[in-house]
Amino acid sequence: MNLVEEAFSRLFSGVEFSFEPAVSYSGKFKPYNATVRKIGSNLYFSLSRSWKGTSDEIVIGLIQHLLIKILRKEKFVKGRSKMASLNMQLYDDFIKGVSEVTVSNGIGDEALESSFRRVNEKYFLGFVDRPQLQWGSESFRKLASYDYHTNMITVSSLFLEAPERILDYLMYHEMLHKKLKFSSSNGRIRHHGSEFRRLEGQFDGSGAIEADLNSFIRSRRRARPQRIRRFSWRRLLMFQ
Ligand SMILES: [Zn+2]
C-alpha cells in the first residue's frame, strides 16, 4: 500500500479508495511546502524535497490535510463532522517545531529590525525569538506574511517608507502568527481564530489603524496608477 492510500484509509475507514495517486518531490518549493491537484480520479501530490527523509507517519499527516482539502466536495467527506487523526496531529506538531528550530541568520533590514524590537518589547515583553525578516516584492495583495516553515516574516516593499505605526501593525499581526501558531480542527487549519482576533484588537489604537493602513495603501496606489488594477479594499486587507 502506498502512502496516499494508507493516509486515506486511516482517515476514511470503510470508504473504498478509488483514486490513482502519484507523489513527486520537487526542489522548486520552499521547505516543507506541498500541493495537490485532482484531475478526474488522479491525485497528483507534489512535495518539497525537504519532506524526503521525514518519517512516513508525519508525511501521512501532511497527505491527510491535503486529501481533506482536495476531496472536500466528495460525498463521503461532506457528511463528516469530525476529521482528525494522530498523523495530522504529528504533522501539526512537526511544522510548529520546524518554526522553532529554523535559526535566524541575524542579518536583516534596519527598519524591519527596529519594528520587530519595538513590537516585541511593547506587546510580547521581549519574549518572541527573532524570526528571519525580509522585504518582499512590492505587492498590494499580500501585504505581509509569516512562513512557519522558514520562520520568516515578509513585508511587502510597499511599506518601505510607511510610518512606523503601520509597519508595526503588520509586524504585530505576523508575530501573533508566530506566537499562536495555528489551530487545527476538523482537518482544516485555522490561522485567524478567535484568540488571534482578540489579541489583534489589543494593538494600540487598533480601531484607527485599519483606516490608516487603507489610506497609506491608497496613496501608494495613486503614486503609480498606471500599473495597478483596481482591487476592493476588503481584498487588499486580507493579509496573512
Ligand atoms: Zn494573518
Side-chain angles (χ1 to χ4, degrees):
M1 212 191 290
N2 69 41
L3 280 182
V4 177
E5 201 169 341
E6 181 68 32
F8 183 93
S9 64
R10 289 190 196 177
L11 202 51
F12 306 111
S13 57
V15 180
E16 192 198 342
F17 185 72
S18 52
F19 302 95
E20 289 293 326
V23 178
S24 62
Y25 293 89
S26 162
K28 287 186 203 147
F29 285 117
K30 284 186 185 166
Y32 299 107
N33 269 4
T35 61
V36 62
R37 274 188 312 146
K38 182 173 179 298
I39 301 173
S41 63
N42 293 291
L43 294 174
Y44 299 101
F45 291 85
S46 190
L47 274 54
S48 157
R49 215 176 268 156
S50 54
W51 283 110
K52 272 193 169 173
T54 307
S55 151
D56 280 357
E57 294 299 313
I58 294 169
V59 176
I60 285 175
L62 162 72
I63 290 172
Q64 288 175 332
H65 273 298
L66 293 171
L67 280 171
I68 289 173
K69 202 165 122 188
I70 198 78
L71 299 176
R72 64 188 182 281
K73 290 186 179 142
E74 301 284 329
K75 254 185 276 163
F76 62 87
V77 178
K78 268 186 171 173
R80 299 197 179 220
S81 59
K82 210 167 165 52
M83 277 177 294
S85 74
L86 182 60
N87 297 97
M88 283 156 74
Q89 190 57 53
L90 285 171
Y91 164 82
D92 291 353
D93 292 344
F94 176 76
I95 290 301
K96 289 171 184 178
V98 168
S99 71
E100 294 300 325
V101 298
T102 304
V103 187
S104 147
N105 57 15
I107 306 159
D109 172 85
E110 191 42 44
L112 291 174
E113 202 74 52
S114 337
S115 174
F116 169 78
R117 271 200 305 268
R118 274 193 305 274
V119 175
N120 202 14
E121 287 306 314
K122 184 163 180 182
Y123 296 99
F124 301 96
L125 303 170
F127 278 119
V128 177
D129 288 333
R130 183 187 165 288
Q132 310 198 67
L133 303 164
Q134 71 170 9
W135 291 106
S137 62
E138 196 170 349
S139 173
F140 283 73
R141 267 171 187 273
K142 197 171 187 183
L143 305 183
S145 61
Y146 174 63
D147 186 330
Y148 298 98
H149 308 138
T150 54
N151 189 21
M152 171 145 10
I153 289 175
T154 304
V155 180
S156 164
S157 296
L158 198 62
F159 299 98
L160 270 169
E161 281 155 36
E164 277 184 2
R165 225 172 89 71
I166 288 177
L167 186 55
D168 287 1
Y169 179 59
L170 296 172
M171 186 65 74
Y172 178 63
H173 181 107
E174 302 314 329
M175 286 169 71
L176 281 179
H177 280 308
K178 176 172 163 62
K179 184 178 148 69
L180 298 177
K181 306 286 164 46
F182 47 85
S183 56
S184 179
S185 76
N186 201 16
R188 305 265 164 81
I189 290 178
R190 284 173 61 86
H191 293 281
H192 301 111
S194 54
E195 176 67 356
F196 187 96
R197 291 302 181 197
R198 189 183 69 76
L199 290 171
E200 192 184 36
Q202 290 182 352
F203 187 82
D204 233 9
S206 70
I209 190 71
E210 290 276 333
D212 295 348
L213 180 57
N214 258 327
S215 81
F216 178 79
I217 294 167
R218 224 173 288 138
S219 73
R220 295 292 307 161
R221 260 183 88 223
R222 272 198 303 271
R224 43 205 298 267
Q226 69 283 11
R227 284 175 54 191
I228 308 302
R229 285 192 289 124
R230 289 190 81 81
F231 295 114
S232 80
W233 297 121
R234 282 221 67 76
R235 179 107 182 251
L236 272 176
L237 289 175
M238 301 257 293
F239 56 102
Q240 212 187 27

